[in-house]
Amino acid sequence: MMRMLRENPDAAAVRIHGTNISPTAPALAACDVSEVEPYRVNNHVYAEFALDFCQRHGIDVLIPPRRLDALAGRAEDFARIGTRLMCSPPSAVDILTSKSRTYEAARAAGIPVPEWRVVRDADQLRTAVEELGREGETLCIKPAGEFSAFGFRIFDDAPLRLRDLLEAPRPLVSVTAVADALKRAADEEEKVPSFIVMPYLDGPEVSVDTLSAPGGRMVTAIPRAKDGRYRMLLDDPEPARIAGALVEHFRLSYLANVQLRRLRGRPVLLEANPRPSAGIYQTAFTGVNLPWAAVQLLLHGHPGDLPVPRLGGRIAVTETAAEVESPAAVPARH
């Protein structure tokens, strides 16, 4: 994304400031100015840090990839110091950072979602597995909050086979093991977050990167499907239609990401994020610079002249290496 901002179609000079909780975060090495941000602080403290950082550095545009709940309601505060905040409304951020509330709101809006249950203890888990597994579906479990892919497991009570040891590992777990973990946590009075139990959805996963104006008016959407190390830039209106309905319903602004998979052959919502996706750089191969268009939309009220996306292509995702400065070069924030 930083490369897309620098290699913008207007050939405008861009200076990028970045923060992270870790001084060794590789992304900081790609920034012109970097700083360590506070770790495990409440929303007010984090927002005050962000305001101070933007004021000290004269930031024009703030694009937060995390802690949206701390920043979404502070757009006017940022505006007073000359910083434009690229963020969706607080109401949308509040719902979409909870997978269970996302499914509830999306289902009410007519957006296809899978069946799901929210569980916090062993008894609720077993009930959910019994109810959702009646049609022979493979089930999975994941935290109900914003944990990315952390915590995701596929339920599998079958005994381990030799071939399982010779194949690529999968995030499998037995129902009994999860129930026992929840019970131990309760017995030890450990705080237990909510989890979602739902069918394991069929692939390929389709990720739709969207650009929308404030109020949820869709400007453009680019769907891409995963196939191992390859990504297919889909020329398919259905994922974009579902993403557009979600963007409009939640009144999402600027960059967002909607993820879909299939249940019994039909596309359903996996999750939605009111922020740019980690894979947004892949959309550059369509000829559309989404991050730069979002900046133009934020600053000037229009995204500029966008080309028609080149869809139907196939790209490979490969690794690269770059020499970076010592972590000692990144100033700490106390």
Side-chain angles (χ1 to χ4, degrees), residues 28-46:
L28 294 185
C31 298
D32 298 298
V33 177
S34 56
E35 190 173 294
V36 176
E37 65 182 37
Y39 182 48
R40 290 184 176 175
V41 295
N42 62 37
N43 283 350
H44 175 75
V45 172
Y46 186 82

Side-chain angles (χ1 to χ4, degrees), residues 81 103 165 254 331:
I81 63 171
Y103 285 165
L165 300 175
Y254 310 110

Side-chain angles (χ1 to χ4, degrees), residues 2-330:
M2 287 187 276
R3 178 178 293 174
M4 293 174 79
L5 289 171
R6 287 197 169 100
E7 298 176 357
N8 63 80
D10 297 329
V14 173
R15 185 170 174 83
I16 296 178
H17 297 63
T19 67
N20 196 279
I21 59 173
S22 171
T24 60
L28 294 185
C31 298
D32 298 298
V33 177
S34 56
E35 190 173 294
V36 176
E37 65 182 37
Y39 182 48
R40 290 184 176 175
V41 295
N42 62 37
N43 283 350
H44 175 75
V45 172
Y46 186 82
E48 290 300 312
F49 158 78
L51 283 162
D52 175 68
F53 181 92
C54 290
Q55 189 166 32
R56 283 188 287 114
H57 294 284
I59 301 300
D60 299 306
V61 173
L62 174 59
I63 309 175
R66 59 186 179 280
R67 297 302 299 262
L68 301 184
D69 56 340
L71 303 177
R74 305 293 294 270
E76 291 184 2
D77 296 330
F78 281 100
R80 277 192 286 270
I81 63 171
T83 301
R84 302 294 297 273
L85 176 65
M86 187 182 291
C87 194
S88 287
S91 58
V93 171
D94 179 62
I95 293 174
L96 295 179
T97 49
S98 165
K99 294 182 178 66
S100 58
R101 291 201 301 274
T102 297
Y103 285 165
E104 289 169 3
R107 182 170 62 182
I111 296 166
V113 298
E115 286 295 317
W116 81 96
R117 300 290 186 275
V118 178
V119 304
R120 294 192 65 178
D121 61 41
D123 290 339
Q124 292 175 346
L125 172 72
R126 292 191 179 94
T127 300
V129 169
E130 180 181 355
E131 292 177 352
L132 296 176
R134 287 172 181 165
E135 296 186 20
E137 302 277 6
T138 298
L139 303 180
C140 61
I141 186 171
K142 57 186 177 182
E146 192 178 28
F147 285 80
S148 186
F150 296 115
F152 170 76
R153 298 291 187 275
I154 301 169
F155 283 128
D156 187 351
D157 289 319
L160 189 67
R161 301 160 298 182
L162 177 61
R163 72 180 187 185
D164 296 326
L165 300 175
L166 303 175
E167 296 177 346
R170 301 178 70 206
L172 303 178
V173 69
S174 70
V175 174
T176 299
V178 176
D180 289 347
L182 292 174
K183 186 177 185 306
R184 279 195 302 273
D187 292 343
E188 297 170 5
E189 298 183 347
E190 184 179 351
K191 183 179 180 180
V192 179
S194 296
F195 289 85
I196 282 183
V197 176
M198 58 182 282
Y200 176 63
L201 304 176
D202 296 327
E205 181 177 316
V206 176
S207 183
V208 187
D209 292 296
T210 66
L211 173 67
S212 57
R217 180 180 62 83
M218 182 73 86
V219 176
T220 190
I222 299 177
R224 48 192 171 83
K226 296 181 179 179
D227 180 17
R229 287 186 175 269
Y230 294 96
R231 300 294 183 269
M232 312 300 295
L233 301 170
L234 298 179
D235 188 7
D236 181 356
E238 181 66 3
R241 184 193 65 78
I242 295 174
L246 188 142
V247 165
E248 180 180 2
H249 177 74
F250 289 107
R251 302 176 66 84
L252 298 183
S253 305
Y254 310 110
L255 298 174
N257 178 256
V258 178
Q259 297 172 24
L260 309 170
R261 290 180 76 95
R262 290 188 174 272
L263 178 63
R264 304 185 195 102
R266 68 186 185 102
V268 296
L269 179 66
L270 178 62
E271 64 179 61
N273 298 299
R275 53 170 174 76
S277 69
I280 193 172
Y281 68 94
Q282 298 161 15
T283 64
F285 291 90
T286 67
V288 178
N289 191 321
L290 286 177
W292 188 249
V295 169
Q296 300 309 298
L297 183 60
L298 176 64
L299 292 179
H300 307 299
H302 59 83
D305 295 328
L306 298 182
V308 176
R310 297 192 305 269
L311 301 176
R314 182 170 181 251
I315 60 175
V317 177
T318 60
E319 293 184 62
T320 187
E323 186 175 4
V324 298
E325 296 182 14
S326 166
V330 179

